[in-house]
Amino acid sequence: MDAKSYAICFKPSSSALKRSNTTRNWYRVAKLEQLKTIGRELTKGSQGGFYQSKEFLDLVKSIGEARSKAEEDRIVLSEIETLKRRISEPDIPKRKMKEYIIRLVYVEMLGHDASFGYIHAVKMIHDDSLLVKRTGYLAVTLFLNEDHDLIILIVNTIQKDLKSDNYLVVCAALNAVCKLINEETIPAVLPQIVELLAHPKEAVRKKAIMALHRFYQKSPSSVSHLVSNFRKRLCDNDPGVMGATLCPLFDLITNDVNSYKDLVISFVSILKQVAERRLPKAYDYHQMPAPFIQIKLLKILALLGSSDKQASENMYTVVGDIFRKCDSSSNIGNAVLYECICCVSSIYPNPKLLESAADAISRFLKSDSHNLKYMGIDALGRLIKISPEIAEQHQLAVIDCLEDPDDTLKRKTFELLYKMTKSTNVEVIVDRMIDYMNSINDNHYKTEIASRCVELAEQFAPSNQWFIQTMNKVFEHAGDLVNIKVAHNLMRLIAEGFGEDDDTADSQLRSSAVESYLHILGEPKLPSVFLQVICWVLGEYGTADGKYSASYITGKLCDVAEAYSNDETVKAYAVTALMKIYAFEIAAGRKVDMLPECHSLMEEFLASHSTDLQQRAYELQAVIGLDAHAVESILPSDASCEDIEVDKALSFLNDYIQEAIEKGAQPYIPESERTGMLNISNFRNQDHHEASSHGLRFEAYELPKQTVQARIPPASLASTELVPVPEPMYPRESYQTTTVPSVSSDAASTELKLRLDGVQKRWGRQTHFPSTSTSNSTSLKTVNGITQVDGSNTANSRTRETYDSRKQVEISPEKQKLAASLFGGPSKTEKKSATGHKSSKPSSHMVKSHAPKSSMEVASEKTSVQQPPDLLDFGEPTVKSTAPSLDPFKDLEGLLEPTTQVSSAVNHSSTAAVTKSPDIMGLYTETTAGAHHKDSDILSGLSNPPMTNMVGGTTTMQVAQSSKGPNLKDSLEKDALVRQMGVTPSSQNPNLFKDILG
Amino acid sequence: MMIHFVLLISRQGKVRLTKWYSTYSKKERSKVLRELSGVILTRGPRLCNFVEWRGLKVVYKRYASLYFCMCIDPDGNELEILEIIHHYVEVLDRYFGSVCELDLIYNFHKAYYILDEILISGELQESSKRTVVRSVAAQDSLVEAAKEETGSTISNIIAHAAK
């Protein structure tokens, strides 16, 4: 590895003049090319332009105009029928076939099944003409997954194409390799791809690297011997190849940091050169030197410097440089800044860099852009691990984000709060989380936030009371979503207490739990998991403190069993709880009077279809018939935490066995000594591979030697080592077998866990059913949240507004309180001024948010104030003001065209006045107002210097651009073409013609 | 894997392009499309360009009436993905010459070819616009050559006129 040589390679080889010349030439050629194409398309218009037939254009058009999903489906289905018929005709010309395949791709893209045509796509890649081959490769990469049966038919062609003289053929094949080659077929192409690493064309080298990267992801061992090749490619002359090499290196380093510590110096040196603009200008992006490569390098450095002081010290200078050089007004600059923060928070801490990171974070948080706030919150979460005090400066910004109407930002903030929870602020944070949890319908996130609440509550609960209440809230609102283990943990916690040897505290905990549960049972509908907890607790402790009578508790339990009569798990819990109550009564010497409803319940259960319920009912009957002494020993009170000694050897049966053997029975043969029987003990062991070898094997042949080696997935390495390389088998099989037993082992682990719970200890059978309850409980709650959200939006913005206006004078006491409780201290005055400064800016748009559609002036004011600093968004305000009201196919909203257009026109002119490109924007207005749908090329029109630079950078370039600019010819031609095809209800779908980059 | 899939959805929820780098079954694909277009198309302006979704993150950006969406792992750099999207759009713009949605509707296969030069197996393959456009142009030139042989004379005349 010679980083210096790399530097030499990257010396700016061509002068600025030369570069601009080549750019210009290229551009002229491209433009001519385009004109040519359009010309050709125009001439073919009647038969269908864009190289496609009228039929296909009609299809696309009719789908575009379909008014409903059903109509679209009908059109696509009839297209499928047509294609099915046509494609199997004999002697189809290649060109026609190519079009059919493209049509198949279209049909698949719309979500329909085109599998009948896959084989034709596969046939196409065999074709000699690259033109046809390319279409074939495109189709197969889109149609097939790596486990498709047809792959085997493709490998041969790929092998052949990788050897082609034409580098374009090789590139097409490499694209397919990345998508389609699976673990089994890696060995078939690997040697050729390694050869291609030295191909003269950089495009080929780059794709070869990416292919090897893909192989590494699929099967790390297959390319483990190629690490030196990656290192070599890091010094490739072509920055694209070097950049691509960073992908596999990143993965390699993630898995084994220590083997690559020697590369730290090289990476640092490359990053330095990149930051010093020593890469060709073509890699500049919005005036940043090769930012994507910088980001990748920073990610790698973050890995290498993690808890390694020596390595980190090498990085400080360059990371510091990048912090300084980053243009924080562009989006890409902020992307690099964010990556710097991630890097700084991962490597060995350096005070100066931490300071820069903190500065960058505060810029993010103070920004008006939600994106930057989001990144700021995320970055804050990373940095507080190292310097927790930094959170305090930003407390008000954090609270603002927490109350923001944007869900994404809110969730990110909750994530941050989760990371900074302590015992001092746990109550506030968990309360907020629960409130938020109740307000959303997204089950996936609900589950996540519920488990976070539980975790925080378990970890930091200030009191038992609070803990029980919190858990009740979580269960009440998300009970069906939380993991069943959470419920078991709760039961265990109530049974065991908080670990202190304080019996009164424990019994207080139980009493308060019982009390709250009796109260909650009044609610109409409770989640199954929660009911299980309630039943169990009532059974164990319902009568323990003597406050409630047995008949009261049993009555409640019967109510539960009746109210949730279709939930067998709950009923089972209820019966067992009843049994316990009665047993405690009998043991205490009191007379048991079964309630009439309990009697009828038992009768029902005794005849239940569920054998589990039946058995429980019979057990209950039996227990009630026993005397106090017997019951006492079966079900001692408050003994759920006692260990049960199990005599695994079953020694108490010895006499019985002896007797049987004497009578002539066969003695027992231990499992291990039996032959021809499935080795059960192995089955439960980790080595699933062994177990699977006993199953039927459908494969005809075993794999060649190399793949056996390649097959071993990283995760199961440890377990396979124990196996003496049992049997070569296909990876797919190994995949299946590893997943299946993992489920069972998972179940086994829950069983293990369950045994810790009192219930399971005593009533072994229960261990089996709780696992089923999760499946029935994941019903989706689909509530139309639109109106709700709207309401909260306005409410929120209103509160925000009042808050903002007040904040200029003084921060609202409410917020101060919240800040104090979250961050452990009142907000200080100097912070107030900082946020006051911040609030002064958005205040004008705060007014706006009240009356979004009130008047045009306000709209223009909005855009002028909110003109984002981000140069990428320069066109956004226009897009935003027009686009929502305009509809290409006008099928969803029946908006009135004339009015919207006028309003959009006004909007444009007002925006134009504020943005610095009045002429072009004015032109744009004209075109829209006139309802002629020409392309108004905003990109070229904007006199935005960075943008121009990006495209070319010289004056001639700009001339060329402005001729491209409003480009009447271009757009007229496009328009004419489209009219010819009959796709143009032009007054209705201007958006289709709209320059999307504008 | 940096990017799990790329979607182009119009404002009406019509699919313009889908590219799946992770393995999804047909059923999962349509579910993803349904869910995400529901989430993304209803989001208001000025909110984050990111959506957390099933433990992953979807970064989206709207260009005129078209939404470009990319799905990434939760630890990805969202701003970077936004720029990758923009990079793609800029290349499209260069290729088509002020690209509009209609270009992508009728030439979706070309949009795929271009995407294949920018992303490969979910990773950014090439960050130089010039290199991308050149390699697509190189492929096209072969196509052109093939066309030229069979092409009509009128097209040549027009091509000359355009010069």
Side-chain angles (χ1 to χ4, degrees):
Chain A
M1 169 53 43
D2 185 3
K4 261 186 203 149
S5 70
Y6 193 73
I8 294 161
C9 300
F10 279 167
K11 255 192 209 151
S13 56
S14 55
S15 69
L17 182 71
K18 196 173 161 196
R19 196 180 310 124
S20 69
N21 269 337
T22 50
T23 321
R24 205 187 321 145
N25 283 339
W26 168 79
Y27 203 84
R28 204 188 306 145
V29 169
K31 210 61 219 175
L32 275 175
E33 211 52 48
Q34 199 193 334
L35 279 174
K36 261 195 242 171
T37 316
I38 288 170
R40 196 168 300 116
E41 279 163 354
L42 270 172
T43 55
K44 286 187 191 163
S46 51
Q47 320 133 32
F50 298 115
Y51 309 132
Q52 278 126 33
S53 73
K54 183 88 171 74
E55 261 179 350
F56 177 64
L57 297 172
D58 281 344
L59 169 73
V60 177
K61 187 186 154 208
S62 57
I63 285 173
E65 286 168 352
R67 280 167 202 283
S68 65
K69 181 80 182 132
E71 194 185 336
E72 183 187 307
D73 286 349
R74 215 174 46 242
I75 295 166
V76 176
L77 287 177
S78 85
E79 166 75 4
I80 289 177
E81 284 313 308
T82 317
L83 285 173
K84 255 187 199 163
R85 216 173 40 243
R86 297 270 186 83
I87 214 162
S88 48
E89 283 169 9
D91 299 330
I92 304 168
K94 276 180 194 171
R95 224 186 111 181
K96 208 78 199 139
M97 196 57 180
K98 205 177 122 224
E99 191 202 301
Y100 290 152
I101 295 294
I102 299 269
R103 280 157 76 172
L104 284 175
V105 171
Y106 191 69
V107 164
E108 279 261 311
M109 196 170 83
L110 295 176
H112 292 263
D113 180 46
S115 51
F116 65 91
Y118 290 177
I119 187 72
H120 297 281
V122 171
K123 270 189 218 157
M124 277 191 94
I125 65 167
H126 298 310
D127 200 283
D128 291 330
S129 138
L130 174 60
L131 177 63
V132 178
K133 196 187 270 292
R134 186 164 80 135
T135 312
Y137 271 127
L138 176 70
V140 290
T141 53
L142 290 170
F143 288 154
L144 307 181
N145 278 323
E146 56 174 38
D147 53 358
H148 201 281
D149 296 336
L150 289 175
I151 299 287
I152 207 74
L153 295 177
I154 296 172
V155 174
N156 235 328
T157 318
I158 288 182
Q159 279 180 323
K160 203 176 99 230
D161 286 347
L162 287 176
K163 285 184 198 135
S164 168
D165 295 335
N166 186 342
Y167 84 98
L168 291 170
V169 173
V170 181
C171 283
L174 281 171
N175 272 348
V177 164
C178 288
K179 169 79 185 181
L180 298 176
I181 293 296
N182 50 32
E183 261 182 281
E184 290 169 57
T185 39
I186 287 175
V189 293
L190 188 63
Q192 285 172 47
I193 289 177
V194 174
E195 264 174 50
L196 291 176
L197 287 176
H199 196 277
K201 279 279 180 190
E202 59 276 0
V204 173
R205 296 201 298 274
K206 190 173 61 192
K207 282 182 201 280
I209 284 281
M210 297 308 273
L212 291 178
H213 177 215
R214 191 80 181 122
F215 293 168
Y216 177 75
Q217 287 173 336
K218 285 185 183 149
S219 154
S221 55
S222 67
V223 291
S224 55
H225 59 289
L226 295 171
V227 172
S228 62
N229 296 58
F230 292 139
R231 285 166 175 256
K232 219 184 286 166
R233 283 301 127 214
L234 199 56
C235 297
D236 197 285
N237 287 348
D238 183 74
V241 180
M242 182 274 286
T245 314
L246 298 177
C247 297
L249 281 173
F250 177 78
D251 277 14
L252 285 166
I253 294 170
T254 310
N255 292 335
D256 176 20
V257 184
N258 290 327
S259 309
Y260 299 89
K261 293 281 185 188
D262 60 311
L263 285 179
V264 170
I265 304 288
S266 311
F267 286 128
V268 166
S269 139
I270 296 173
L271 183 56
K272 192 157 166 281
Q273 294 165 54
V274 174
E276 286 169 356
R277 296 181 179 275
R278 290 165 78 175
L279 251 56
K281 262 273 185 284
Y283 284 86
D284 279 12
Y285 180 86
H286 295 189
Q287 292 189 311
M288 286 280 291
F292 297 108
I293 293 176
Q294 286 194 41
I295 288 174
K296 202 86 202 175
L297 282 166
L298 283 166
K299 279 185 180 158
I300 289 175
L301 290 184
L303 290 175
L304 287 169
S306 172
S307 57
D308 182 340
K309 194 174 176 190
Q310 202 192 341
S312 300
E313 275 166 356
N314 290 318
M315 306 169 189
Y316 292 153
T317 326
V318 70
V319 177
D321 278 351
I322 294 174
F323 260 122
R324 265 193 306 283
K325 283 182 182 162
C326 263
D327 167 22
S328 61
S329 65
S330 76
N331 196 47
I332 189 67
N334 287 322
V336 177
L337 269 181
Y338 168 78
E339 210 55 63
C340 281
I341 299 171
C342 295
C343 181
V344 166
S345 55
S346 162
I347 62 178
Y348 191 87
N350 170 285
K352 238 178 136 185
L353 287 181
L354 285 174
E355 204 178 292
S356 309
D359 283 350
I361 288 176
S362 71
R363 267 204 310 270
F364 283 174
L365 288 173
K366 280 174 190 159
S367 154
D368 285 338
S369 148
H370 272 68
N371 287 350
L372 287 187
K373 280 187 188 168
Y374 177 93
M375 300 312 273
I377 294 282
D378 182 274
L380 194 58
R382 289 169 189 269
L383 211 61
I384 51 167
K385 280 183 216 146
I386 303 166
S387 42
E389 69 285 352
I390 169 182
E392 207 189 312
Q393 308 167 27
H394 302 296
Q395 40 185 297
L396 287 170
V398 170
I399 290 168
D400 269 351
C401 291
L402 192 62
E403 289 174 357
D404 198 278
D406 186 350
D407 248 9
T408 307
L409 191 52
K410 206 177 260 188
R411 289 180 189 189
K412 195 81 208 171
T413 316
F414 274 119
E415 203 183 301
L416 172 68
L417 291 184
Y418 167 74
K419 283 182 194 159
M420 49 182 253
T421 306
K422 300 176 285 223
S423 52
T424 49
N425 57 14
V426 65
E427 290 172 74
V428 191
I429 289 177
V430 171
D431 277 357
R432 286 245 158 194
M433 282 183 168
I434 291 174
D435 282 350
Y436 179 65
M437 185 179 82
N438 297 344
S439 70
I440 56 171
N441 295 320
D442 172 356
N443 278 348
H444 191 275
Y445 192 69
K446 232 176 175 166
T447 313
E448 194 180 309
I449 200 164
S451 53
R452 279 185 178 170
C453 285
V454 171
E455 192 187 318
L456 291 178
E458 281 179 358
Q459 217 176 333
F460 299 108
S463 71
N464 296 344
Q465 204 88 16
W466 180 85
F467 178 77
I468 297 282
Q469 276 169 4
T470 306
M471 295 308 267
N472 289 352
K473 279 190 217 159
V474 172
F475 274 111
E476 236 179 290
H477 297 290
D480 287 331
L481 300 171
V482 297
N483 193 317
I484 187 77
K485 281 182 193 166
V486 173
H488 293 149
N489 267 344
L490 178 59
M491 290 185 231
R492 191 175 67 203
L493 215 120
I494 292 173
E496 289 174 351
F498 271 97
E500 302 111 42
D501 287 327
D502 185 357
D503 284 345
T504 49
D506 286 352
S507 57
Q508 263 173 15
L509 170 73
R510 290 165 189 163
S511 311
S512 66
V514 168
E515 191 134 345
S516 68
Y517 290 160
L518 286 172
H519 180 72
I520 284 168
L521 276 180
E523 306 272 325
K525 175 91 182 97
L526 294 168
S528 175
V529 177
F530 192 29
L531 285 165
Q532 292 166 29
V533 176
I534 291 178
C535 288
W536 185 81
V537 171
L538 289 183
E540 281 287 330
Y541 306 111
T543 54
D545 61 355
K547 197 170 163 190
Y548 298 101
S549 70
S551 65
Y552 180 74
I553 300 286
T554 50
K556 285 281 182 190
L557 287 168
C558 290
D559 289 348
V560 170
E562 268 167 39
Y564 299 89
S565 56
N566 48 8
D567 187 338
E568 284 189 358
T569 316
V570 170
K571 282 198 283 191
Y573 265 92
V575 178
T576 304
L578 284 172
M579 171 157 59
K580 281 190 241 174
I581 299 283
Y582 287 132
F584 298 153
E585 287 298 291
I586 294 168
R590 285 188 285 269
K591 184 151 168 21
V592 171
D593 278 325
M594 236 196 206
L595 296 172
E597 61 257 45
C598 190
H599 269 298
S600 57
L601 205 62
M602 282 314 115
E603 268 164 39
E604 185 201 323
F605 289 170
L606 285 171
S608 168
H609 287 301
S610 153
T611 48
D612 177 63
L613 275 182
Q614 260 192 42
Q615 172 151 2
R616 281 166 201 273
Y618 278 112
E619 278 173 6
L620 172 62
Q621 255 186 351
V623 166
I624 285 179
L626 294 173
D627 63 72
H629 178 72
V631 169
E632 171 88 69
S633 52
I634 301 170
L635 280 172
S637 75
D638 192 18
S640 60
C641 300
E642 309 293 320
D643 289 325
I644 297 175
E645 279 173 33
V646 178
D647 183 1
K648 278 189 185 160
L650 306 180
S651 56
F652 57 89
L653 289 173
N654 282 352
D655 291 347
Y656 176 78
I657 291 165
Q658 200 58 40
E659 204 176 307
I661 290 176
E662 273 163 21
K663 280 182 187 161
Q666 287 287 316
Y668 177 76
I669 306 165
E671 220 167 36
S672 50
E673 287 164 34
R674 277 173 278 184
T675 49
M677 276 201 67
L678 195 135
N679 196 340
I680 297 165
S681 65
N682 261 357
F683 214 85
R684 272 290 157 106
N685 275 348
Q686 308 98 315
D687 62 7
H688 316 300
H689 300 285
E690 183 75 272
S692 66
S693 72
H694 296 288
L696 271 181
R697 291 180 32 197
F698 298 98
E699 293 78 15
Y701 304 104
E702 297 193 335
L703 274 190
K705 253 274 190 284
Q706 316 138 274
T707 10
V708 176
Q709 202 184 20
R711 178 185 59 80
I712 303 166
S716 59
L717 261 180
S719 62
T720 39
E721 265 168 9
L722 300 173
V723 190
V725 191
E727 72 295 309
M729 58 187 175
Y730 282 87
R732 210 179 321 142
E733 188 191 276
S734 84
Y735 171 71
Q736 281 166 351
T737 48
T738 43
T739 47
V740 172
S742 80
V743 171
S744 76
S745 71
D746 199 15
S749 75
T750 45
E751 272 173 344
L752 255 178
K753 187 112 193 174
L754 292 185
R755 256 177 231 129
L756 299 168
D757 299 316
V759 179
Q760 277 67 34
K761 242 178 268 173
R762 214 155 290 272
W763 310 108
R765 308 183 71 261
Q766 284 187 337
T767 51
H768 300 289
F769 63 79
S771 53
T772 57
S773 64
T774 37
S775 61
N776 64 11
S777 56
T778 45
S779 62
L780 289 167
K781 276 186 219 157
T782 41
V783 181
N784 185 356
I786 294 168
T787 43
Q788 261 180 310
V789 173
D790 274 352
S792 68
N793 261 0
T794 46
N796 251 329
S797 58
R798 205 166 294 139
T799 51
R800 264 180 73 97
E801 191 209 359
T802 49
Y803 154 57
D804 267 22
S805 57
R806 228 186 302 171
K807 200 163 60 174
Q808 274 160 352
V809 196
E810 195 182 315
I811 300 148
S812 82
E814 227 172 281
K815 201 142 285 188
Q816 265 182 340
K817 217 169 102 193
L818 179 58
S821 48
L822 281 179
F823 298 87
S827 51
K828 289 159 200 162
T829 28
E830 72 262 22
K831 266 139 225 160
K832 197 166 56 185
S833 70
T835 45
H837 157 73
K838 178 187 155 241
S839 68
S840 64
K841 251 195 287 171
S843 59
S844 60
H845 97 265
M846 294 279 82
V847 180
K848 260 297 291 95
S849 61
H850 251 325
K853 287 181 198 158
S854 58
S855 71
M856 244 45 98
E857 292 96 299
V858 183
S860 69
E861 183 193 315
K862 180 179 173 186
T863 45
S864 69
V865 172
Q866 297 258 308
Q867 196 69 333
D870 178 356
L871 70 93
L872 291 173
D873 286 343
F874 55 82
E876 284 260 60
T878 13
V879 173
K880 264 172 202 152
S881 49
T882 50
S885 54
L886 299 174
D887 199 354
F889 297 108
K890 170 190 119 166
D891 52 354
L892 290 186
E893 305 120 283
L895 284 175
L896 291 171
E897 283 308 311
T899 44
T900 50
Q901 291 211 328
V902 171
S903 75
S904 67
V906 178
N907 258 352
H908 280 308
S909 53
S910 53
T911 326
V914 264
T915 52
K916 277 165 223 147
S917 54
D919 45 346
I920 304 296
M921 297 304 280
L923 204 135
Y924 182 55
T925 318
E926 229 174 78
T927 47
T928 14
H932 280 298
H933 301 284
K934 292 147 197 168
D935 286 354
S936 45
D937 189 353
I938 296 175
L939 171 70
S940 60
L942 273 177
S943 51
N944 207 328
M947 213 55 187
T948 345
N949 261 1
M950 174 207 82
V951 183
T954 60
T955 29
T956 34
M957 202 39 242
Q958 274 168 348
V959 172
Q961 258 193 333
S962 53
S963 72
K964 180 199 170 200
N967 207 346
L968 285 177
K969 192 174 174 187
D970 191 352
S971 41
L972 269 176
E973 276 166 355
K974 228 179 238 180
D975 192 45
L977 165 66
V978 172
R979 271 168 204 283
Q980 224 165 348
M981 297 178 329
V983 206
T984 126
S986 45
S987 61
Q988 284 148 17
N989 56 356
N991 270 338
L992 284 181
F993 299 92
K994 193 172 196 170
D995 183 351
I996 63 171
L997 195 57
Chain B
M1 172 94 53
M2 190 157 74
I3 296 164
H4 294 282
F5 53 79
V6 177
L7 307 176
L8 265 65
I9 308 172
S10 81
R11 221 177 73 74
Q12 293 73 40
K14 297 207 190 275
V15 181
R16 297 298 184 213
L17 187 143
T18 58
K19 180 89 186 176
W20 309 87
Y21 295 109
S22 298
T23 307
Y24 289 86
S25 71
K26 207 156 267 159
K27 222 172 153 187
E28 286 166 333
R29 289 179 183 190
S30 49
K31 199 174 165 210
V32 168
L33 277 166
R34 212 173 39 242
E35 272 185 35
L36 278 182
S37 44
V39 173
I40 290 169
L41 299 179
T42 52
R43 270 174 79 79
R46 272 180 213 302
L47 303 183
C48 289
N49 288 74
F50 326 129
V51 179
E52 291 186 15
W53 175 79
R54 291 166 176 268
L56 298 171
K57 278 191 291 203
V58 178
V59 178
Y60 69 93
K61 179 143 186 188
R62 179 174 169 170
Y63 290 89
S65 54
L66 206 54
Y67 285 85
F68 287 68
C69 318
M70 291 188 181
C71 177
I72 56 167
D73 281 327
D75 56 349
N77 180 341
E78 293 89 342
L79 293 180
E80 183 195 6
I81 302 297
L82 267 185
E83 290 311 300
I84 291 178
I85 292 176
H86 193 77
H87 177 58
Y88 180 40
V89 174
E90 281 183 355
V91 173
L92 286 173
D93 194 66
R94 273 200 187 186
Y95 181 81
F96 286 105
S98 49
V99 63
C100 63
E101 191 179 338
L102 206 66
D103 286 324
L104 300 183
I105 296 177
Y106 287 104
N107 293 297
F108 63 91
H109 55 296
K110 292 191 176 163
Y112 274 122
Y113 291 134
I114 295 170
L115 188 61
D116 278 344
E117 292 304 313
I118 293 175
L119 296 177
I120 201 163
S121 55
E123 299 278 353
L124 182 66
Q125 170 192 191
E126 183 55 66
S127 58
S128 154
K129 272 187 280 293
R130 194 163 61 180
T131 313
V132 173
V133 175
R134 269 184 183 165
S135 58
V136 178
Q139 294 168 33
D140 279 355
S141 67
L142 278 188
V143 178
E144 290 298 313
K147 293 265 166 195
E148 214 72 40
E149 286 161 23
T150 53
S152 70
T153 41
I154 307 168
S155 71
N156 284 331
I157 294 167
I158 294 225
H160 274 290
K163 275 176 194 163

